[in-house]
Amino acid sequence: MDIGLFILQMVLWSPIIVFGALFLVSYHREPRQFRNAIYLLLFVLVTALILLMRYGQQWMVVPLLLLVLFFPIVAALALIVNGVVVVRRNGLSAASLLPVALALFILSMYAVIPAAGIMSAPAWVVSILELFVWEGMWFSFTLVALLLYSWLYRALPRRRTYDFIVIHGAGLSGTELTPLLAGRVDKALELWERQGRGGLLVVSGGQGSDEEISEAEAMYRYLTLRKGIPAGSIVKEERSTTTMENLRFSKELMDARADGAPYRCAVVTSDYHVFRCAEYAHELGISADGVGSHTRGWYWPAAFIREFAAITRAHFWPYVVILVLWALGLVLSLF
C-alpha cells in the first residue's frame, strides 16, 4: 500500500473517527450529559461533509446550498404558525409565544448584518451585531444538537426492571389530571405492568397556589380509584414544586425504602422533558433512566423550546467564552 495515500485517507477520515469515538466513549460513561449532544451533532456534520466531498456529485451542490440557506426560514415560518395555534389553544402567555420568539430570532440572524451594511451603521454597532451572530450560531447549533440527542436518548431501547418508577407531576384541572399528566401516569403504569407489577410507583408533585390538592394526591386517586392499583404499590411525594425538587424529594423516599441497598429507577415525564429530568437525576446521583410519554404535536415545539432554555441556563459558559473572545478581538483590533 502507498504510505502517502494511506496517510491521506487517515487524515480525511480522522474527524469522523475522532468525533465518533468521543461520542461513544462519553455515552458509554454517562448517557445523561449535555456534551453527548454536541459530540453527536459534530459527528453527524463531519460525516455528511466528508462523504459529500468524497462521493458527492456536482449536481448535489445547488440543492444542498438551497437547503442550508432556506430551511431555517421555512422552519421560522412554521414556528410562527405553530405559535398562533398554541396561543389559540392555551391562551396568550410568555410560554405560548416561545415558538414566535424563536422564529424572530432565526429571521434576525439572517437580517442583522446585511441591515447594518445597508444603513451604514457605525463600526461599533456592526461589532456588536457580529457578537450577536456568533452567540446565535452557538445557540442554534446546541438547539439542533439537543433536538437530535434527546430523540436518540428516548428512542434507544432499555430492557431493565426498575425498583421505583417516579412520575413527575404537572398542572391539574381542579382535582383531576390534565391530559398531559394523565399521559405520564399511563406511561408509568404501562412500564410497571410490563415488568410484572414489580417495584413501587412514586407519584411526585406538591400543591400549587392555584391547586385544590397536591399533584401527587391527584395521581394517587387516579391510580387507585380509576385504575385499581393497590395503595401499597404507591408512594406519595407531596413537597416538590420544581423538577429538581421532584427528583431530590423522591430520592429521599427511595433511599429510605432501599435502606442502603442499590436501586434503579425510571423517571417518567413528557417526552420533551425527558433529557432534563435525566440530567438532573445524574447531578443528584440517582441511577435512573428517563422515559417519555407522548405530547400532542401542536404543543411540542413550545414545550421543547422551554426545556432548551432551562438547559442553556445550566450550560451557559460557552456564551461567556464567546463574549470574552469577542472582547479580546475587539481590544486587539485597536492596536
Side-chain angles (χ1 to χ4, degrees):
M1 179 183 292
D2 187 340
I3 188 64
L5 180 61
F6 175 76
I7 293 174
L8 182 62
Q9 290 293 329
M10 287 300 296
V11 170
L12 176 65
W13 296 103
S14 60
I16 297 178
I17 297 171
V18 168
F19 288 121
L22 282 172
F23 171 72
L24 291 175
V25 171
S26 182
Y27 183 87
H28 177 72
R29 288 180 177 174
E30 178 50 67
R32 302 168 296 173
Q33 295 189 98
F34 183 62
R35 66 167 177 251
N36 296 344
I38 306 300
Y39 293 150
L40 178 61
L41 184 56
L42 286 171
F43 169 73
V44 170
L45 290 177
V46 297
T47 300
L49 179 61
I50 289 172
L51 289 177
L52 180 64
M53 292 170 56
R54 182 69 176 83
Y55 302 108
Q57 304 295 321
Q58 288 186 350
W59 65 266
M60 296 179 180
V61 174
V62 173
L64 287 173
L65 185 61
L66 292 175
L67 179 64
V68 171
L69 288 175
F70 293 108
F71 178 77
I73 296 176
V74 174
L77 296 176
L79 283 168
I80 291 173
V81 173
N82 176 252
V84 172
V85 173
V86 174
V87 169
R88 284 181 175 177
R89 297 193 180 190
N90 273 17
L92 184 61
S93 67
S96 298
L97 291 173
L98 283 174
V100 176
L102 180 58
L104 294 177
F105 165 76
I106 293 171
L107 295 175
S108 67
M109 286 282 291
Y110 279 80
V112 289
I113 298 299
I118 293 171
M119 294 185 297
S120 300
W124 65 270
V125 173
V126 175
S127 182
I128 292 175
L129 293 177
E130 288 174 350
L131 172 63
F132 169 76
V133 170
W134 284 113
E135 298 279 17
M137 289 175 66
W138 176 252
F139 178 91
S140 303
F141 177 84
T142 52
L143 176 65
V144 175
L146 185 63
L147 185 64
L148 175 64
Y149 183 69
S150 61
W151 171 83
L152 177 66
Y153 178 81
R154 298 193 312 270
L156 290 176
R158 298 179 181 89
R159 296 296 180 185
R160 295 187 177 115
T161 299
Y162 299 103
D163 303 290
F164 301 94
I165 299 174
V166 180
I167 312 170
H168 279 245
L172 302 177
S173 177
T175 60
E176 299 295 321
L177 305 190
T178 60
L180 184 74
L181 183 52
R184 297 180 182 184
V185 178
D186 290 342
K187 185 68 176 181
L189 192 55
E190 174 189 321
L191 180 60
W192 186 67
E193 295 279 4
R194 192 165 64 231
Q195 64 179 33
R197 295 196 164 201
L200 292 174
L201 295 163
V202 181
V203 289
S204 176
Q207 182 176 353
S209 58
D210 59 342
E211 293 176 332
E212 300 177 34
I213 60 174
S214 72
E215 294 163 7
E217 176 62 24
M219 289 188 279
Y220 176 84
R221 294 180 186 181
Y222 178 83
L223 286 167
T224 54
L225 300 178
R226 293 197 182 183
K227 299 295 182 179
I229 306 304
S233 297
I234 307 169
V235 179
K236 287 192 288 186
E237 182 287 296
E238 298 183 273
R239 294 186 292 158
S240 58
T241 58
T242 66
T243 296
M244 185 63 83
E245 288 181 354
N246 281 136
L247 291 163
R248 182 180 291 116
F249 296 148
S250 295
K251 181 178 186 297
E252 292 177 4
L253 295 174
M254 292 186 292
D255 287 348
R257 280 160 177 74
D259 195 23
Y263 62 85
R264 190 165 193 92
C265 72
V267 178
V268 182
T269 185
S270 301
D271 50 12
Y272 62 82
H273 194 222
V274 166
F275 181 76
R276 182 155 67 101
C277 287
E279 188 179 37
Y280 286 178
H282 169 58
E283 291 178 16
L284 293 171
I286 304 172
S287 180
D289 293 324
V291 178
S293 62
H294 176 70
T295 304
R296 293 179 180 179
W298 63 268
Y299 182 70
W300 198 92
F304 179 79
I305 295 166
R306 188 172 65 246
E307 289 299 300
F308 176 70
I311 291 173
T312 297
R313 286 196 298 270
H315 301 277
F316 199 73
W317 66 265
Y319 295 92
V320 178
V321 171
I322 293 171
L323 176 61
V324 170
L325 292 175
W326 170 82
L328 181 61
L330 190 62
V331 170
L332 293 176
S333 68
L334 300 176
F335 295 97

